[in-house]
């Protein structure tokens, strides 16, 4: 993991999570919801992130790639996006039907099945990137997705219409904040700035514990 990712991008994810947590818990505007003003704050925050991204865009990394014609590249990207959309929709729709058949709550469905379905593109992209030894793309994809979901998606959505918030989700926010903090410090264990297999296994174990918690909380 690049030094900048450890010292900048991961803290940005943490700060973004804490910001949303404070907003939905009535620390600024509204009460247990994301109001239009909250959305403005989130969009201002994502604007600052864009400034940061453009600032590091001049940094280059040397690796071999097979160049395709621009038209073919655009077609493949569009087809890939369509495929991800159709695949994600099929996973979410049919998984929700299964969950409803098993009589579990909508909250449980949203935090597990729907979350998994919407995260499949990130998982596929990261796995392919790792296989092709483009680690920075794999990690940047995940961190960037979290930042965009927290700031841009919630910001735009709350401006269009205020989003009501269930305080019971605070424990899930704490899981997310705790996981980000653990990731940060884990990158200083063993070989510096590297996600080892034991660390990866521990994260999978933590997620399993979280799923068990959700199942019993349903």
């Amino acid at each position: 993991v690049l030094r900048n990712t450890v010292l900048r991008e991961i803290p940005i994810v943490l700060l973004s999570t804490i910001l949303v947590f404070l907003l939905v818990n009535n620390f600024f505007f509204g009460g247990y919801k994301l109001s239009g003003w909250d959305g403005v704050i989130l969009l201002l925050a994502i604007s600052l992130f864009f400034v940061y991204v453009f600032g590091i865009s001049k940094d280059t990394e040397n690796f071999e790639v097979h160049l395709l014609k621009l038209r073919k590249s655009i077609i493949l990207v569009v087809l890939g996006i369509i495929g991800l959309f159709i695949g994600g929709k099929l996973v979410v729709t049919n998984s929700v039907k299964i969950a409803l058949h098993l009589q579990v709550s909508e909250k449980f469905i949203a935090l597990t099945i729907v979350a998994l379905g919407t995260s499949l593109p990130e998982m596929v992209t990261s796995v392919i990137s790792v296989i092709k030894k483009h680690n920075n793309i794999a990690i940047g994809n995940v961190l960037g997705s979290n930042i965009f979901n927290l700031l841009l998606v919630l910001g735009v959505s709350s401006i269009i219409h205020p989003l009501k918030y269930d305080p019971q989700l605070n424990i899930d926010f704490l899981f997310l904040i705790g996981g980000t903090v653990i990731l940060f410090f884990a990158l200083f264990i063993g070989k510096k700035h590297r996600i080892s297999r034991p660390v990866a296994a521990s994260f999978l174990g933590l997620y399993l514990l979280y799923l068990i918690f959700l199942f019993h909380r349903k």
Side-chain angles (χ1 to χ4, degrees):
V1 182
L2 290 179
R3 185 173 182 271
N4 279 351
T5 299
V6 176
L7 300 180
R8 294 181 183 179
E9 278 96 44
I10 293 178
I12 289 175
V13 173
L14 178 60
L15 290 175
S16 300
T17 308
I18 294 175
L19 174 61
V20 175
F21 176 77
L22 294 176
L23 290 175
V24 295
N25 280 283
N26 193 23
F27 280 82
F28 299 104
F29 302 102
Y32 293 118
K33 67 178 181 180
L34 278 179
S35 65
W37 284 111
D38 295 328
V40 171
I41 293 175
L42 294 179
L43 291 186
L44 288 175
I46 194 69
S47 298
L48 293 176
F49 178 68
F50 281 136
V51 172
Y52 166 74
V53 170
F54 287 132
I56 64 173
S57 62
K58 296 180 181 180
D59 297 338
T60 58
E61 181 181 353
N62 295 321
F63 53 84
E64 295 183 2
V65 295
H66 177 60
L67 295 177
L68 301 175
K69 291 183 178 180
L70 179 60
R71 180 181 297 179
K72 185 175 182 180
S73 296
I74 293 175
I75 292 174
L76 290 176
V77 169
V78 172
L79 290 176
I81 293 174
I82 293 173
L84 288 173
F85 173 79
I86 295 174
K89 187 173 182 179
L90 287 173
V91 169
V92 172
T93 301
N94 291 285
S95 297
V96 167
K97 289 180 180 179
I98 294 173
L100 290 175
H101 180 73
L102 296 176
Q103 296 182 341
V104 294
S105 68
E106 291 184 1
K107 186 186 300 180
F108 179 83
I109 295 172
L111 290 170
T112 54
I113 298 170
V114 176
L116 175 62
T118 57
S119 297
L120 283 178
E122 285 82 16
M123 183 181 296
V124 173
T125 301
S126 293
V127 170
I128 293 176
S129 299
V130 169
I131 292 174
K132 293 187 176 182
K133 299 182 179 179
H134 298 325
N135 295 335
N136 294 332
I137 294 178
I139 297 169
N141 165 58
V142 174
L143 297 179
S145 177
N146 279 9
I147 293 170
F148 272 72
N149 282 330
L150 287 165
L151 301 181
L152 184 62
V153 174
L154 290 180
V156 171
S157 300
S158 59
I159 287 179
I160 294 174
H161 190 278
L163 304 176
K164 292 184 179 180
Y165 176 73
D166 185 351
Q168 290 185 357
L169 291 174
N170 281 341
I171 186 66
D172 303 279
F173 258 111
L174 295 179
F175 268 107
L176 182 55
I177 293 172
T180 308
V181 172
I182 293 173
L183 172 62
F184 178 79
F185 286 106
L187 292 171
F188 294 94
I189 299 175
K191 290 187 177 181
K192 194 174 182 181
H193 299 173
R194 180 176 180 177
I195 301 176
S196 63
R197 285 190 175 89
V199 170
S202 66
F203 268 96
L204 290 175
L206 287 172
Y207 184 67
L208 178 61
L209 291 176
Y210 176 64
L211 290 179
I212 294 174
F213 163 76
L214 287 180
F215 183 77
H216 286 286
R217 190 185 66 175
K218 65 178 182 177

